[in-house]
Structure formats: structure tokens, C-alpha cells
Amino acid sequence: MSTASVNILTLNLKINGRDYCVSCSPDASLSSVLRDNIGLSGTKEGCGSGECGCCTVLLDSKSVKSCITPAFRAEGAEVITIEGLSSPVHPLHPVQEAFVEAGAIQCGFCTPGFVLSAYSLLKEIPNPDEQDIKNGLSGNICRCTGYETIFKAVQLAAEKLNSSEREARE
Amino acid sequence: MNYFKPESLDEYFNCIEKSEGFVRPLAGGADIMHRLKKKFLKKDGLTLIDINVLSDLKELEERDGELRIGALTKLSRLQEFLAGKAGYNLLHTALGSSACSQIRHQGTVGGHLAGCLPGSHLFPVLLLHEARIEIVSPGGMREVDLDTLQKQPYHNNLKKNELISALILPALPAKKSYYWGEGERKGFCFAPFVLGWSFSEEAGLRIAGGNLPRGAVRFRVLEEKLAGSFVPLIDCLKEEFHFQEKQGNPLSEYQKTLLYRFMKVIKDKGEIK
Ligand SMILES: Cc1cc2nc3c(=O)[nH]c(=O)nc-3n(C[C@H](O)[C@H](O)[C@H](O)COP(=O)(O)OP(=O)(O)OC[C@H]3O[C@@H](n4cnc5c(N)ncnc54)[C@H](O)[C@@H]3O)c2cc1C
Ligand code: FES
Ligand code: FES
């Protein structure tokens, strides 16, 4: 594509390691394509306009709010949704395990977004202090937990990831 | 709604020329998507031109003691780049306070500049740096300062066929500097008031504030009147805030309320134009 105008796009997307081909309008958000075209409903839509972080996914390992990410922006990138964190060997990723163990989930609506924001934060800062955690999760809102258990879960996740990395090295 | 994806600047200008109605370059798309979702921007008659593959807008380099930051540089990339860089620590702090990590991963420098948000965390600091904005059009390049770029909140002074190509940032010599504008939890909460100041023998005292009715401004009258005495005053306030925070009083709330009143008193005296 170059200077020819289009009003329906055909996109080739790589999501959780699988290839998909979808048609959508230029203003379609990544969250709507994930949920409605592909059926990956683990990505939640709360506010739908970039404010709550429920829809967070990873684009090339970096967290983004998929409700305000144009779907076409994901072409050529690797998209990871909450469904893509687990593997046959590890039904729950260490970050997810930490959320369960720390009791960081109540209604659970915000959880996929928090887990992926935490995952992205821990990739950037493997040993975050409390302020790093608060900053890293400042784009996510939870109406239930009061955040303390979520911050603890991220600390726990950091410990888990660091110890499994140590074990792998030894 | 129409969509173009030009692969060069020439193609971009070509697309602009043949588009009618409301035409918008799209960089990270955070602002445009937010506006579409909120219905601040109408879909009908809108043409989006995806500028993401324009490699001319991607460079981030140091030239003659200044940074030239390509318009497509992501805010998070700039934040990483500035970590520990002398002369840029205030901007690094401001980037860390702006929006949230998701928006910084998506949003670009050019999109942020063109958006002219009155509550931008970055504009006051860019004013302290005396930043310049490089603009490209079929007629060539020109540079403007931030004051010239800002028309009014959410509107810039760019012509239809002009594109921001880079932000030029001289280092900010600062013996002492400070930045205010933090909130506890952000989401979509812009800082109610942002204030930055810096002091050095070479550059003197520079003060700028943001989230004012017409956007960020340099407080030139204040700079002149308070030269010499402003720094200790701010330092005293800072010490008091830290003391209050230790007493369990949230620092940011104090800063905002107090500074707002402080600035208002000066404004009422007619010293801020
Ligand atoms: C939910 C949310 C929260 C936010 N919170 C904060 C905050 O706390 N503090 C803060 O400072 N900022 C905040 N922002 C602003 C954010 O930093 C900007 O929206 C972002 O940087 C825009 O970049 P973009 O590349 O995504 O812009 P886009 O959406 O692609 O474009 C934004 C505007 O700029 C135009 N444009 C883009 N690139 C160029 C160019 N090169 N030349 C000319 N015009 C161009 C577009 O046409 C459009 O009008 C927030 C934004 C959102 C959506
Ligand atoms: S649903 Fe995307 S930020 Fe709220
Ligand atoms: S657990 Fe309910 S919104 Fe967070």
C-alpha cells in the first residue's frame, strides 16, 4: 500500500504465535479485532477510551492499551494477549501465579490488564521497588482490591521470575 | 473514512494534496483513537495518513550539543535514552510522570507536540530547554519555537501540508532544577498544574508552567522579579512538603493547591501575562 486510499483494510496479524488474516475499517481498535474478529475475549474493554487499562496487551513485549491502538498498528508486530501468556507446560505464567497467591483478584475484570502491565514492567525492570511498581501500573485501574495486594503480587512475581532465571542458569 | 500509508515524504505530500475534508497524519494513534472513541473527532469525511514508515522522522541523534529527536520517536524510547543524560534530567522526570507506561509505549514525540495538550507534562520543560520544532513541507524545512506551535489548547499552528519532522533540544544547563506535576494514580488524570524551573549561572533562572488556559508558558516576568530569591523560596516549600509527607499528608495535593494559589496571587497582581 502507498498512496492509494482504502476504507477497508486486510491485516495479517501475529497473535500469541499464530497467524490471522482479518478485515476491518481503518479506525478499528486492536481490542475490537481481538475480541470480535478473533474471539480472544480475555482482553477486556472497560472504558474503551484509554483510561482504565483493562484492555492492555503486549505489542512486541511492550504494554499498550488496545482500545486506543489502531488495529493496523499491530501488523508486523508480535501481539501477546492474556491467553498467550500460559503454555502447555505452565498453565499459569509466574506473574499469573503470583496474582493468585497474593490474592490480588476480586471481580477479576481488571486482572488481564494488570498481569500484562506487570509482565511488561518486569521485562523492563526485573527488580522493581515500590515506586517502580506504582509507576509501572499507573495506567491500570482496579475498582475492587485497593491495589495493595496487586503491588504485592508484582513483588512476588519478580521473585518468582528471578529465581527461575537463577535456576535456569545453574 | 479514508486511509493512506505513504512510504516516503513525497508520497505523504502527494496524499495530502489529493485528500479532501479533514486530513490527519497518524503516528502512534493514541490521541486520534481516544478522540474518535470519545466522538471529539468525527469519522465521516476523515482521512487518516499513517506516517509510521516515514524513516526520515525516526532518527534520534546528538548534534553540536543538541538532541535532534525524530517526530516518530516513542515517548518511552526517549525516556530510556535520556536516563542519566546530563542536561536532560528534568525532561526525563517529566516523561516519567506523563501519562502511563502504555501511552508512553504508543505515543510519539511528534504526536505529543502536535496535540498541544494544555495539561502536557512535557511542554513546560520543553520551554525551559528553549526547544525548537522542525517542520517539513513540500517547500522545505523551517523551525519554530513551542510558543509559535501552540495556537490554543488542542490546536496547533501547522498548515495542512506541514508535518513535524523533529524536536530540537538544546541541553538545559542547570545547577538546580525542579519539576512538579505528579499525581498519585493517573489513568486519564492530567496534572492540574505543572511547574518546572531551572537555575544555572549560564542560563540564569528559567520558570515555566503548564495546564493554563492557553497552554504552557514561560513565566518571564516572574523570572526577572524573582531572580536570586525564587530558588531559596522553592527550596523552603520543598522542605515543608517533604515534612508534611512524612506526617502522612500527600505531597502532590499540597503542591497543587499551594502552587495554584501562589500563582493565582501573582496573576491577580497582573504579573503573568
Ligand atoms: C489516555 C491518555 C492519557 C494521557 N495522559 C497524558 C498525561 O498524563 N500527560 C501528558 O503529558 N500527556 C498525556 N497524554 C497525551 C499523550 O502523550 C499523547 O496522546 C501522545 O503522545 C500522542 O502521540 P501519538 O503518536 O499517539 O499521536 P497521534 O494520535 O498519532 O496524533 C496526535 C495528533 O498529532 C498529529 N500528528 C501526529 N504526528 C504528527 C507529526 N509528525 N506532525 C504533525 N502532526 C502530527 C495527529 O494528526 C493528531 O492530530 C495522554 C493521552 C491519552 C490518550
Ligand atoms: S478499555 Fe482500554 S483503557 Fe479502558
Ligand atoms: S478486581 Fe475488580 S476491578 Fe480489579
Side-chain angles (χ1 to χ4, degrees):
Chain A
M1 158 126 30
S2 59
T3 54
S5 159
V6 285
N7 45 31
I8 290 289
L9 305 177
T10 303
L11 304 178
N12 293 306
L13 304 177
K14 193 171 197 82
I15 301 163
N16 302 331
R18 279 186 59 185
D19 294 322
Y20 295 88
C21 182
V22 296
S23 295
C24 63
S25 71
D27 65 323
S29 64
L30 180 57
S31 59
S32 70
V33 165
L34 289 170
R35 289 178 59 85
D36 306 334
N37 297 48
I38 299 176
L40 291 170
S41 57
T43 302
K44 303 297 174 213
E45 263 223 23
C47 66
S49 54
E51 286 142 42
C52 71
C54 284
C55 61
T56 300
V57 301
L58 304 177
L59 213 56
D60 287 335
S61 297
K62 306 263 186 206
S63 58
V64 293
K65 293 181 173 179
S66 61
C67 70
I68 54 165
T69 302
F72 60 75
R73 184 59 65 252
E75 247 196 339
E78 181 92 40
V79 183
I80 304 281
T81 69
I82 194 70
E83 290 90 344
L85 269 198
S86 53
S87 67
V89 190
H90 298 290
L92 287 182
H93 185 273
V95 179
Q96 292 170 302
E97 276 175 12
F99 269 66
V100 174
E101 286 167 28
I105 304 163
Q106 284 187 29
C107 79
F109 194 80
C110 67
T111 309
F114 267 104
V115 167
L116 289 165
S117 288
Y119 177 98
S120 169
L121 166 71
L122 295 174
K123 281 246 162 204
E124 282 169 26
I125 312 176
N127 289 301
D129 62 22
E130 201 184 322
Q131 200 51 49
D132 293 328
I133 296 176
K134 285 187 178 167
N135 287 343
L137 301 186
S138 72
N140 294 69
I141 292 174
C142 172
R143 297 182 61 182
C144 306
T145 61
Y147 301 104
E148 285 308 316
T149 49
I150 295 180
F151 298 150
K152 284 206 182 96
V154 180
Q155 259 152 2
L156 184 59
E159 285 162 25
K160 281 174 181 279
L161 288 169
N162 289 333
S163 78
S164 55
E165 205 166 281
R166 261 197 311 274
E167 275 165 28
R169 260 187 274 126
E170 279 160 11
Chain B
M1 170 180 263
N2 289 313
Y3 170 86
F4 292 100
K5 191 173 181 182
E7 279 162 13
S8 66
L9 275 175
D10 285 345
E11 280 189 11
Y12 173 80
F13 295 126
N14 206 341
C15 296
I16 289 276
E17 211 170 289
K18 58 183 179 190
S19 303
E20 283 168 12
F22 199 54
V23 188
R24 278 272 163 267
L26 184 145
D31 217 42
I32 289 187
M33 290 295 282
H34 178 259
R35 283 163 166 263
L36 280 168
K37 289 285 189 92
K38 290 281 188 192
K39 304 208 183 332
F40 298 151
L41 193 61
K42 279 198 201 122
K43 216 172 125 167
D44 296 337
L46 176 67
T47 298
L48 293 179
I49 309 188
D50 185 357
I51 59 172
N52 263 272
V53 290
L54 303 184
S55 50
D56 303 13
L57 313 190
K58 288 191 176 166
E59 275 171 24
L60 206 178
E61 55 179 355
E62 217 159 349
R63 258 193 220 166
D64 311 324
E66 299 185 325
L67 291 184
R68 185 182 177 280
I69 304 157
L72 286 174
T73 306
K74 293 266 169 20
L75 297 175
S76 57
R77 162 91 180 93
L78 181 60
Q79 193 185 354
E80 267 166 39
F81 183 82
L82 297 182
K85 201 163 186 54
Y88 296 93
N89 65 321
L90 221 54
L91 185 58
H92 182 256
T93 308
L95 278 160
S97 322
S98 78
C100 52
S101 48
Q102 292 100 318
I103 300 286
R104 295 195 295 270
H105 287 148
Q106 183 181 353
T108 62
V109 168
H112 190 91
L113 290 170
C116 287
L117 303 165
S120 159
H121 281 79
L122 311 185
F123 274 33
V125 181
L126 297 181
L127 286 171
L128 298 181
H129 276 270
E130 303 192 330
R132 300 172 333 262
I133 291 112
E134 186 189 278
I135 295 168
V136 62
S137 70
M141 295 256 200
R142 67 182 179 114
E143 279 185 11
V144 297
D145 60 19
L146 209 57
D147 275 338
T148 314
L149 180 78
Q150 300 182 91
K151 188 175 191 177
Q152 60 190 70
Y154 306 108
H155 295 280
N156 59 49
N157 269 318
L158 297 174
K159 299 193 188 91
K160 185 180 167 187
N161 64 357
E162 287 186 324
L163 199 59
I164 295 174
S165 43
L167 169 68
I168 315 287
L169 213 54
L172 180 64
K175 205 163 113 192
K176 273 173 168 275
S177 60
Y178 203 66
Y179 175 84
W180 270 304
E182 290 166 46
E184 273 301 300
R185 290 201 55 79
K186 288 168 200 129
F188 195 59
C189 148
F190 288 101
F193 188 79
V194 178
L195 181 94
W197 66 267
S198 70
F199 175 77
S200 70
E201 267 85 28
E202 309 97 285
L205 177 66
R206 294 181 186 176
I207 312 170
N211 214 1
L212 296 165
R214 61 150 288 222
V217 285
R218 268 284 285 277
F219 295 147
R220 301 213 183 251
V221 176
L222 200 60
E223 284 176 358
E224 217 170 279
K225 300 234 154 157
L226 296 177
S229 62
F230 186 72
V231 174
L233 168 65
I234 288 284
D235 279 347
C236 295
L237 285 176
K238 210 166 88 182
E239 259 177 54
E240 178 68 31
F241 295 148
H242 284 307
F243 172 74
Q244 290 297 342
E245 195 177 44
K246 282 203 193 109
Q247 306 298 306
N249 295 321
L251 178 66
S252 50
E253 296 308 312
Y254 267 80
Q255 287 175 341
K256 281 164 203 162
T257 344
L258 213 98
L259 268 168
Y260 177 73
R261 296 215 180 116
F262 171 59
M263 299 318 292
K264 192 169 179 314
V265 170
I266 297 165
K267 192 167 181 227
D268 291 346
K269 282 191 187 164
E271 290 181 4
I272 298 179
K273 301 276 182 282

